[in-house]
Amino acid sequence: MSTVAGGIFTSHVPGIGQAIDKGLQQDPYWKPFFDGFHPVHEWLAREKPDVLVCFYNDHGLNFFLDAMPTFAIGAAEGYSHEDEGWGISGYKPYSGMPELSWHIINQVVGDEFDPTMCQKMLVDHALAIPVELAWPDAKSWPFKLVPIAINTVQFPLPSPKRCFEFGRSVGRALESWQGDEKIVVMGTGGLSHQLEGERAGHINIEYDMFCMDHLSRDPEALLQHSSLDIVDLAGSQGVEILNWIAARGAMRGSVTEYSRNYHIPISNTATATMLLENHATVMA
Ligand code: DHB
Ligand code: FE
């Protein structure tokens, strides 16, 4: 019987990778962000999940603007990180779990989603940096990975409601998985940020707080806005909250907040880290 033990939600600013490379975790600029991961480390050391299902967005590495899937699910034996231009590299490769990937794909297609099925898939900073943050001392990764990429880049974007329902469908697959693995889900990106144009540097603390305050107990409150509303509210990259919404959808049963951290700015971004615990004992 598998269990979804919790969900980790975090920003994925590439500069964090450079700070890790340089060992700047205690530097006054970086410390308030890195400190938000102490409860995550303590929780992971205790829970020791075997599987990571990570909802993130690809930024032009595996998918480019000429062919952009709305939802893409990795079904490979393994995955590597490559750098799409940020000067970060050298991360360890990840082992896949194709049998669980196909189980998820079968469920979501059965639920009338149409994901792209990726038997080869490179992963970018949006997956690699959160994983480095969560398991900073790992000699090799202690989990098997199922990467799930959501288009938050090329219009038209999926709606928050669609992403939540997609996450719920993934959650149903995790619930019916017959293995005895402990699973952690992850949603990366956000919170409010806009990197380009006249509004570069746009940050909306009020909207960020609204998202953080509702994520554990009332995630459906986040579905009242359209994706374009979220671009308005949170910035053109703030819409990466769609990854958080999908990951939260995959957590079923009773969910409580274990820790949160919010810090402005890292680069142009209002950064946040949250850990939610899932108290449901998942039915086999
Ligand atoms: C930054 C944030 C992102 O989400 C990203 O993908 C790239 C850069 C930033 O704030 O620098
Ligand atoms: Fe991003």
Side-chain angles (χ1 to χ4, degrees):
M1 199 173 79
S2 62
T3 320
V4 177
I8 300 167
F9 302 81
T10 186
S11 306
H12 61 220
V13 179
I16 298 163
Q18 291 158 359
I20 293 171
D21 287 348
K22 295 181 190 148
L24 296 179
Q25 290 86 342
Q26 297 302 316
D27 180 273
Y29 179 84
W30 293 100
K31 187 174 165 36
F33 172 73
F34 279 98
D35 280 355
F37 271 83
H38 294 323
V40 176
H41 299 158
E42 172 212 311
W43 185 85
L44 285 171
R46 194 173 68 236
E47 294 291 330
K48 297 188 179 52
D50 311 291
V51 175
L52 169 65
V53 177
C54 181
F55 296 83
Y56 70 107
N57 60 295
D58 184 278
H59 298 69
L61 176 74
N62 197 80
F63 306 111
F64 201 60
L65 302 182
D66 58 341
M68 179 62 70
T70 300
F71 299 114
I73 302 180
E77 293 286 345
Y79 307 90
S80 6
H81 164 254
E82 283 188 15
D83 181 24
E84 77 277 18
W86 299 102
I88 48 169
S89 60
Y91 296 140
K92 299 178 282 291
Y94 314 88
S95 297
M97 193 172 175
E99 57 288 22
L100 177 59
S101 293
W102 287 113
H103 177 73
I104 293 170
I105 290 166
N106 278 318
Q107 175 76 49
V108 302
V109 172
D111 288 340
E112 302 185 344
F113 290 91
D114 309 300
T116 300
M117 301 166 248
C118 302
Q119 297 184 60
K120 285 187 186 162
M121 194 177 190
L122 295 171
V123 295
D124 77 358
H125 73 273
L127 183 143
I129 286 177
V131 166
E132 292 289 331
L133 283 164
W135 286 271
D137 302 319
K139 300 267 180 294
S140 60
W141 302 122
F143 55 79
K144 291 190 170 166
L145 175 67
V146 178
I148 302 183
I150 298 180
N151 170 32
T152 69
V153 171
Q154 163 89 326
F155 284 81
L157 305 180
S159 69
K161 180 169 180 296
R162 184 77 174 153
C163 292
F164 189 69
E165 293 300 335
F166 176 70
R168 284 173 68 83
S169 178
V170 172
R172 281 193 285 279
L174 301 179
E175 196 170 82
S176 65
W177 175 245
Q178 293 295 312
D180 58 4
E181 290 85 0
K182 195 180 269 194
I183 300 168
V184 63
V185 299
M186 191 181 248
T188 89
L191 286 181
S192 54
H193 64 302
Q194 172 145 342
L195 301 178
E196 74 291 306
E198 285 177 12
R199 245 182 21 147
H202 170 78
I203 278 175
N204 183 342
I205 298 174
E206 204 181 320
Y207 177 71
D208 291 344
M209 285 305 131
F210 164 79
C211 291
M212 295 180 85
D213 288 344
H214 288 86
L215 193 68
S216 59
R217 275 186 298 169
D218 184 18
E220 296 189 23
L222 277 65
L223 312 186
Q224 67 185 268
H225 302 113
S226 70
S227 288
L228 281 174
D229 289 340
I230 298 178
V231 169
D232 249 0
L233 285 162
S236 49
Q237 285 79 33
V239 76
E240 290 173 344
I241 191 75
L242 292 175
N243 303 320
W244 288 42
I245 290 171
R248 175 62 184 86
M251 299 178 73
R252 293 160 63 76
S254 121
V255 171
T256 54
E257 184 173 322
Y258 186 90
S259 68
R260 74 158 76 180
N261 185 46
Y262 184 71
H263 174 66
I264 299 172
I266 295 294
S267 179
N268 263 349
T269 297
T271 54
T273 302
M274 291 187 81
L275 172 57
L276 306 187
E277 273 194 311
N278 198 349
H279 301 285
T281 301
V282 176
M283 306 300 288

